Amino acid sequence: MGNLTRRDLLKGLAIGSVTAASAGALVACAPAQKQPEGNARKSAGELMYAKRKGDVASMTQSETDVLVIGGGGAGICAALSAAEQGAQVVLCEKTSVLGGATMLSSGKIPAVGTKQQAGMGETDSVEACVIDIMRPSNYSVRPDLVYTVTEQSRDIVEWTESHGAVWNIDAALYYGQTAHRMHTTENAGKGLTDALIASMGGNQAIKQMLSCEIQGLVLDDEGEVVIGAYGKSGKDQVAIIAKNTVLASSGFANNPGMLAQYCPEAVDAFKRVAPGATGEGILWAQELGVELQNMGSYQGHAFHGVDNDETLEQAMANNGGIIVNQEGNRFMSEYGGYSELSPHILAQTDRIAYLCFTDVQVAKSLKFPGWDKAGIVKKGATATELAAAIGADAATLEKTISEYQAALGKGEDKFNRSHLPASFDGPYYALKITGEIRHTQGGMPTDVAGHVLRADRSLVQGLYAAGGCTEGFSCRGGAAYMSGNGLIQALVFGKIAGAAAATEDKESAQLVEWKKGSIDAYQ
């Protein structure tokens, strides 16, 4: 495989130009956590995770062009993309099944300029989508990452369709989106991963190793160049030597220690996370002198049904429902992003709240009959009766509902909420809810070609990354999140990192930056 120039790489990956907002700089907006020094010239005894080439000589060894670590959406896309560039690929997944967080997702991404948008007559632009994605973070995240995924969004829809995915555009205007651009795969995340897995299974250039627990990276004997990884496959200790390695090892939402360190408010959230999201890939990069970014950032969900152990419908709140704690008090505006609302729920007594609504909201819900049949709906003809049903103080809940009713006539409530129903009269209903965590959004920084970067912006030679183990662009810390951010980042950067790993030599790979006008913008 030949070398690509920086310009050729950008063209080949169809990466467009950015606005002057990024001015060509690779911005690391998040405050960095304290890191160990780079491991150059460290002895084997000083390395906690990585091993030198000589240290793995006794292991069962194999060689490949591209090694992909992690079998979620990012890893699968990386493997498929690398194989398309002519590389022989080994994909290692530590669990017994592929899919990761992508399989558990809603299968939604924001995409601009697709045939689905054209079919519904939607007028949209890259710039509008970028603003919508960056707004929740107060524009503090890296614009180069956001522009990359936005300009690549049409391509990733079409590319995954070529691998069997079926995308439809949502008819509803999603919260926080200023255009109809949310695309959903048939059968959600499972439908997407099923299609990609089937395509990968038919590609003889890709070797899949399931139940293969990678335990660390392999470095050359003298320097700090990544030449593969080692781990355990069945009873065997294995070392896979690769020309380039792609980390797609997910985030740390299933690692209690890391979660307590970086996202303490979400430690007790219901964990709707991938089993393999234990964060070790992030620690491997940290050991190599990488400064982790946005580690306090995560996606939550405020509407986990306690009584049926399922994610409930946010529309009940959007359409005028209110949320009260066990004492019967409201504590926030209920009209907001489902992720941003989650820490408010988790901060209440016993991490419990009640989503309260009336027949006005029921009339707009397709899911209510199922909840009612399952017996999870608390009911009361009056506020006093509902208070008894949920165990709240009757006087407090009566006051809460009376205040809300009075606000309807004013058009704004005490939380400055103006998205209000026409009325809020009994009978009343309630669902017991708590907050979820879905995945974390912090990790190692990369450039726009997927190269893993140290603090001085030098490349960790031979190492690429994509997906949940990398620096996200939802926010610098907390639960601010735009729907689809995690999935589109995984898919787009998985594809980019796989292609780059397949076509570059580690010795000559260079930092790839955004520079306005460096190539033609993606249209």
Side-chain angles (χ1 to χ4, degrees):
M1 292 168 286
N3 294 330
L4 296 179
T5 67
R6 200 178 316 183
R7 182 178 178 88
D8 288 338
L9 178 62
L10 288 170
K11 280 187 173 181
L13 300 178
I15 298 175
S17 63
V18 297
T19 66
S22 60
L26 183 63
V27 185
C29 292
Q33 284 73 35
K34 292 293 184 181
Q35 309 293 319
E37 296 297 326
N39 75 314
R41 294 174 296 280
K42 282 186 178 179
S43 68
E46 293 177 296
L47 297 170
M48 183 177 297
Y49 305 107
K51 292 185 180 295
R52 298 291 181 185
K53 185 177 181 180
D55 299 329
V56 300
S58 62
M59 297 181 184
T60 301
Q61 293 201 8
S62 60
E63 295 186 1
T64 189
D65 294 326
V66 175
L67 169 62
V68 178
I69 302 172
I76 295 170
C77 286
L80 286 167
S81 181
E84 288 178 350
Q85 297 296 324
Q88 293 295 312
V89 182
V90 172
L91 182 147
C92 295
E93 165 56 42
K94 68 182 177 183
T95 70
S96 60
V97 295
L98 298 169
T102 299
M103 182 169 59
L104 299 176
S105 75
S106 61
K108 295 181 182 295
I109 63 170
V112 177
T114 65
K115 63 179 182 291
Q116 288 87 348
Q117 273 195 323
M120 71 181 307
E122 179 63 87
T123 301
D124 199 3
S125 70
V126 166
E127 288 71 21
C129 185
V130 167
I131 289 172
D132 288 350
I133 290 175
M134 295 190 70
R135 188 185 304 111
S137 74
N138 294 321
Y139 309 94
S140 63
V141 295
R142 282 175 49 187
D144 59 337
L145 300 179
V146 180
Y147 270 95
T148 299
V149 299
T150 303
E151 293 191 347
Q152 288 293 292
S153 60
R154 182 180 72 184
D155 173 76
I156 203 66
V157 167
E158 294 173 350
W159 184 75
T160 52
E161 284 177 335
S162 75
H163 289 284
V166 178
W167 293 92
N168 297 297
I169 194 165
D170 290 5
L173 190 64
Y174 239 68
Y175 177 83
Q177 300 281 2
T178 56
H180 292 86
R181 64 171 72 99
M182 195 62 70
H183 293 63
T184 305
T185 45
E186 287 190 359
N187 202 16
K190 185 178 185 302
L192 174 59
T193 53
D194 283 351
L196 297 178
I197 290 167
S199 181
M200 187 170 63
N203 193 319
Q204 295 184 352
I206 303 173
K207 178 182 178 181
Q208 301 176 33
M209 296 180 65
L210 303 184
S211 300
C212 179
E213 182 185 359
I214 297 298
Q215 297 169 323
L217 300 171
V218 177
L219 309 179
D220 62 357
D221 282 328
E222 298 299 329
E224 50 190 358
V225 178
V226 176
I227 61 170
Y230 72 93
K232 190 173 183 181
S233 181
K235 297 180 180 180
D236 297 329
Q237 285 293 124
V238 298
I240 303 167
I241 306 303
K243 295 178 180 178
N244 284 310
T245 299
V246 179
L247 276 179
S249 51
S250 195
F252 56 91
N254 204 27
N255 183 321
M258 291 182 73
L259 206 60
Q261 179 180 0
Y262 295 113
C263 309
E265 73 273 26
V267 166
D268 295 319
F270 179 87
K271 292 177 177 57
R272 185 177 169 83
V273 301
T278 47
E280 59 269 32
I282 297 172
L283 301 178
W284 302 340
Q286 185 181 38
E287 182 178 58
L288 301 184
V290 172
E291 287 192 350
L292 307 180
Q293 301 294 320
N294 301 351
M295 289 293 284
S297 167
Y298 62 94
Q299 182 201 355
H301 203 293
F303 297 92
H304 182 81
V306 174
D307 293 327
N308 66 348
D309 208 26
E310 295 178 2
T311 304
L312 303 178
E313 184 179 52
Q314 185 181 7
M316 284 294 191
N318 288 348
N319 290 329
I322 61 173
I323 298 175
V324 302
N325 57 24
Q326 292 191 93
E327 291 73 33
N329 290 308
R330 287 178 72 205
F331 47 90
M332 63 177 178
S333 169
E334 299 83 358
Y335 189 69
Y338 56 77
S339 182
E340 289 92 329
L341 297 181
S342 61
H344 296 276
I345 304 287
L346 293 169
Q348 304 310 305
T349 303
D350 298 327
R351 302 175 296 282
I352 294 297
Y354 290 89
L355 173 57
C356 303
F357 50 97
T358 71
D359 285 332
V360 171
Q361 290 76 45
V362 168
K364 300 178 181 180
S365 173
L366 296 176
K367 295 184 177 181
F368 178 83
W371 299 335
D372 196 26
K373 184 177 180 180
I376 67 169
V377 181
K378 312 293 185 183
K379 301 178 181 179
T382 64
T384 299
E385 290 184 10
L386 185 66
I390 66 175
D393 177 74
T396 300
L397 186 60
E398 287 173 359
K399 180 182 177 183
T400 295
I401 291 178
S402 294
E403 287 180 346
Y404 188 58
Q405 289 171 328
L408 302 186
K410 301 175 183 177
E412 184 178 35
D413 71 0
K414 63 182 180 181
F415 296 107
N416 303 119
R417 178 177 177 178
S418 58
H419 194 93
L420 300 169
S423 64
F424 200 75
D425 301 321
Y428 297 105
Y429 311 94
L431 295 165
K432 190 176 184 179
I433 59 175
T434 190
E436 297 177 349
I437 183 170
R438 296 287 185 88
H439 52 79
T440 54
Q441 283 275 296
M444 64 197 80
T446 69
D447 66 6
V448 295
H451 301 114
V452 177
L453 304 178
R454 293 190 175 89
D456 61 1
R457 299 171 70 215
S458 64
L459 275 58
V460 179
Q461 284 185 283
L463 189 62
Y464 301 75
C469 65
T470 65
E471 174 184 359
F473 49 72
S474 290
C475 63
R476 294 173 65 181
Y481 184 80
M482 180 62 69
S483 293
N485 278 4
L487 182 55
I488 194 170
Q489 183 174 16
L491 300 179
V492 169
F493 276 103
K495 180 174 181 283
I496 287 173
T503 54
E504 292 184 329
D505 292 329
K506 58 170 65 75
E507 295 82 5
S508 58
Q510 299 179 50
L511 177 74
V512 178
E513 294 182 298
W514 283 102
K515 290 185 179 179
K516 182 174 174 59
S518 62
I519 62 172
D520 294 336
Y522 183 82
Q523 299 296 326

